[in-house]
Amino acid sequence: MAKQFEYTFVFKVGNFVTKSLLALGISFNGSTLLTVAGRKTGVPRSTPISMVEFEGQRYVQSPFGNVDWVRNLRAAGKAALSRGSRHETIVATELSPEQAAPVIKWTLAHAPKMIQAYFDVTAASPLEDVIRDAPNHAVFAVRAA
């Protein structure tokens, strides 16, 4: 059974450190700052995420499930990506489970074990199993606005 995400003190500290590094233009593993309007308040909310590049397309994918940034991005359909002084407005389109499964399989093959623990499948799982797990891990195709 997949590990359930909890926004613990360790995650809060990690996000703070990662946001600070991204503000300085320092990124690791494709991390970038995603800023999206809150679905209820409209207030911009920022969280560090990892960009996924697969078959020439960029994606953002949620290993932690249906967290706030996912719900906000679904509602807004657009966001800003930033790292240091670089800013990009993007449009995000959520993929169906069938479309998302190959991206998830590829991501799992390259993800650290800590991230893999949040999935009920592995990179070696049959595509049908990944399709069944895909609704738990939203994937958005990203393009410049």
Side-chain angles (χ1 to χ4, degrees), residues 5 11 61-67 69 114-115 118-119 136-137:
F5 179 73
F11 268 97
Q61 190 271 324
S62 175
F64 305 124
N66 207 12
V67 292
W69 74 259
M114 182 211 109
I115 296 297
Y118 290 92
F119 290 81
N136 300 319
H137 306 283

Side-chain angles (χ1 to χ4, degrees), residues 12-32:
K12 289 177 186 179
V13 170
N15 277 353
F16 175 79
V17 170
T18 303
K19 284 181 185 181
S20 299
L21 292 172
L22 287 169
L24 295 171
I26 301 168
S27 174
F28 52 94
N29 295 332
S31 62
T32 188

